[in-house]
Amino acid sequence: MPGPMPRGGPPTVTRFSDTELDAGALYFVSYDGLVNNGSFQQSGILTFRGYQYAAWYTASRHAMIARRRLPSGVWQRVRLPHRLTVDDSHNVISLGVSPTDGRLHAAMDTHGSTIFYVRSEAGLLTDPAGRAWQASRFGPVQRRLDGLELGAITYPRFVTTPDGRLQLSYRTGGAGNGTLELAEYAGSWRRLGRWQSAAGTYRANGATSTARNMYLHGLTYGPGGRLHATFTWREQNMAVVCHRGGVSNHDTGYVYSDDQGRTWRNDTGRLVGVTGTANQVSIASPGLVVDPLDPNHALMNQESQDVDSAGNPHVVVSYVPGRFGPCVTDFVADRIANGRAFHVRRDPSGGWRKTEIPVPLGAFGRSQLVLDAADDAYVVLPYGRIVTASRASGYTDWTVRFDGAGLNAFGEVLVDRSRVDAEGVLSVMYQRASTGSTPSPLRVVDFRLG
């Protein structure tokens, strides 16, 4: 008998579940975002060994962590002994898993400040059915990583190595003048050190900037254990922007590491940085930029990335294309009016390609990109809209597969990448739009990927 016919066109999504985490979660808008849905969390919701975990702040400002048994278990909730200290959407909760000892880790409530950190008892995630979900399973909230002092940090994000170590990426310093560092957990925490430098010279629009920071679109381990990082630069000197309403983000760059973040190489394999030494990745490092863009187009930082089955990185970026004018006059308003998302990827031949996703953003915020087992692409735009494209088309057949109807999502959403990998199911964590400081429902909607 003949085999099945190959699937044609972009992949589909089918919504099959929408559950509530909190009927009235904490709600306030700062930096045009929500503290329960920040793209830079990387893992605000994740799946491990058949259970899904999510974290957020309640209306009373308490940190919460919940779990459910997949595919349809009831959410069980634990309130941690910590309350959000400030109305700042940077101060998200990021989750991480250390598989070797079965602990869940949470980094909370930091923006240029000392971290709040908590971890579960050993074995809680490797024996979930045998252990009740209760607050006593978690240790005290600490201001260090079990004695490791990080100082003032921002944007903590966890990633698990192929051999089961847990790593924490974070920024020291501030926007426009900051550096990226790594710490690593293998039963205890230790600092690997700084791997990105703020130093160097950048010139645009007749002005010069001598300091900056790297904003990551993600850290992702791919085939062969390679760690991939795409990013944009943010300059300190706002004069390099053509108009005061702009923000000085420019270029999409790429580096990778084959030794779990100890050394970094550019796309051609040239060594450009050694973690914990003076030889750090900087704007002067050769061959970093894979998609050049000047700082005049309201380029967003910290969107998202994924890696395909052949080890090629994919990233979604967004900005105001030049056809709408050479210079933004208001970063937020111009992105809402004319912003577009773009899919940037390395193709099998080693070249980089960019395709505009033909759907207006209509929003300030960021999008989320995931790839399924067939390397088809799904981008969750602001408000929970989902557009897809097939690998077979060369990622040119972008089509709206879910228009966000019924969600009333605020804007940015979070996705559970680990569940896509484990089950071919896309879980999207979203908070319903509200006004002022009125709490609103926080929910998780699930889609089967076609």
Side-chain angles (χ1 to χ4, degrees):
M1 295 179 61
M5 293 294 290
R7 184 180 69 203
T12 60
V13 300
T14 304
R15 177 169 54 172
F16 69 92
S17 173
D18 196 330
T19 57
E20 187 169 83
L21 284 167
D22 192 331
L26 183 63
Y27 188 98
F28 60 84
V29 179
S30 77
Y31 297 92
D32 299 287
L34 301 182
V35 73
N36 288 328
N37 289 87
S39 63
F40 39 83
Q41 288 172 260
Q42 187 150 327
S43 294
I45 180 170
L46 60 82
T47 291
F48 184 75
R49 295 196 180 184
Y51 279 72
Q52 190 171 53
Y53 303 84
W56 72 97
Y57 296 103
T58 68
S60 63
R61 309 178 73 86
H62 282 95
M64 294 284 289
I65 301 180
R67 75 173 183 183
R68 64 171 172 171
R69 186 172 184 172
L70 296 173
S72 56
V74 175
W75 286 105
Q76 301 172 300
R77 301 166 182 83
V78 161
R79 190 175 80 174
L80 299 178
H82 177 71
R83 299 180 68 190
L84 182 69
T85 58
V86 62
D87 283 356
D88 186 334
S89 61
H90 290 82
N91 293 40
V92 301
I93 304 174
S94 293
L95 298 177
V97 176
S98 50
T100 55
D101 61 8
R103 296 183 190 269
L104 182 66
H105 303 249
M108 306 178 286
D109 195 5
T110 179
H111 180 197
S113 56
T114 305
I115 196 171
F116 292 90
Y117 165 76
V118 66
R119 71 178 190 181
S120 76
E121 67 184 19
L124 183 61
L125 271 62
T126 47
D127 181 27
R131 305 202 187 192
W133 188 250
Q134 55 196 32
S136 61
R137 302 291 186 185
F138 292 85
V141 176
Q142 307 174 44
R143 304 306 303 275
R144 302 177 180 179
L145 299 183
D146 292 333
L148 177 62
E149 176 63 62
L150 301 181
I153 71 165
T154 308
Y155 304 127
R157 63 172 81 206
F158 292 103
V159 60
T160 302
T161 68
D163 61 357
R165 300 182 187 187
L166 181 64
Q167 295 180 320
L168 179 68
S169 165
Y170 56 95
R171 187 186 76 190
T172 53
N177 190 10
T179 59
L180 292 179
E181 300 194 29
L182 284 173
E184 186 173 85
Y185 175 85
S188 61
W189 285 100
R190 68 187 184 100
R191 179 183 282 107
L192 299 183
R194 182 179 299 171
W195 64 273
Q196 172 256 315
S197 170
T201 299
Y202 176 79
R203 295 181 176 87
N205 298 312
T208 299
S209 175
T210 58
R212 67 210 39 83
N213 71 285
M214 176 189 286
Y215 276 115
L216 292 172
H217 294 306
L219 285 172
T220 308
Y221 278 98
R226 176 167 290 182
L227 179 59
H228 302 262
T230 55
F231 61 89
T232 185
W233 293 112
R234 163 77 66 84
E235 296 301 320
Q236 182 183 52
N237 184 358
M238 290 297 293
V240 301
V241 186
C242 59
H243 190 278
R244 63 181 299 175
V247 172
S248 55
N249 298 332
H250 62 91
D251 297 322
T252 298
Y254 170 70
V255 291
Y256 71 86
S257 174
D258 282 336
D259 52 13
Q260 300 184 355
R262 273 66 174 177
T263 60
W264 298 90
R265 298 180 181 275
N266 67 14
D267 194 37
T268 66
R270 181 172 175 177
L271 182 69
V272 291
V274 180
T275 300
T277 75
N279 180 16
Q280 299 164 17
V281 180
S282 75
I283 200 165
S285 301
L288 300 188
V289 175
V290 296
D291 184 51
L293 185 73
D294 66 47
N296 302 328
H297 298 281
L299 175 66
M300 181 54 77
N301 54 52
Q302 299 188 122
E303 294 227 18
S304 65
Q305 67 173 34
D306 208 341
V307 179
D308 66 28
S309 60
N312 292 304
H314 297 236
V315 59
V316 61
V317 301
S318 61
Y319 58 88
V320 177
R323 64 178 180 272
F324 295 107
C327 176
V328 297
T329 58
D330 185 292
F331 189 87
V332 175
D334 284 12
R335 282 182 56 83
I336 293 173
N338 297 312
R340 297 294 188 273
F342 296 81
H343 174 222
V344 180
R345 66 185 176 96
R346 189 174 62 196
D347 65 25
S349 68
W352 287 81
R353 297 179 180 271
K354 180 167 67 175
T355 303
E356 180 175 337
I357 298 173
V359 180
L361 280 181
F364 159 80
R366 302 163 176 88
S367 302
Q368 299 284 346
L369 166 69
V370 295
L371 304 175
D372 66 13
D375 290 334
D376 290 335
Y378 304 76
V379 172
V380 188
L381 299 167
Y383 312 119
R385 299 165 293 163
I386 302 176
V387 294
T388 75
S390 65
R391 175 188 175 186
S393 73
Y395 305 99
T396 59
D397 56 353
W398 290 100
T399 302
V400 177
R401 290 303 199 184
F402 178 69
D403 64 2
L407 299 186
N408 190 28
F410 164 81
E412 288 188 15
V413 300
L414 298 180
V415 299
D416 182 349
R417 301 174 187 283
S418 45
R419 194 177 184 193
V420 173
D421 295 338
E423 302 178 10
V425 171
L426 175 63
S427 290
V428 179
M429 180 173 157
Y430 69 96
Q431 188 162 357
R432 287 186 174 160
S434 185
T435 57
S437 58
T438 302
S440 69
L442 183 69
R443 303 183 64 88
V444 178
V445 58
D446 299 322
F447 299 86
R448 290 191 180 91
L449 304 184

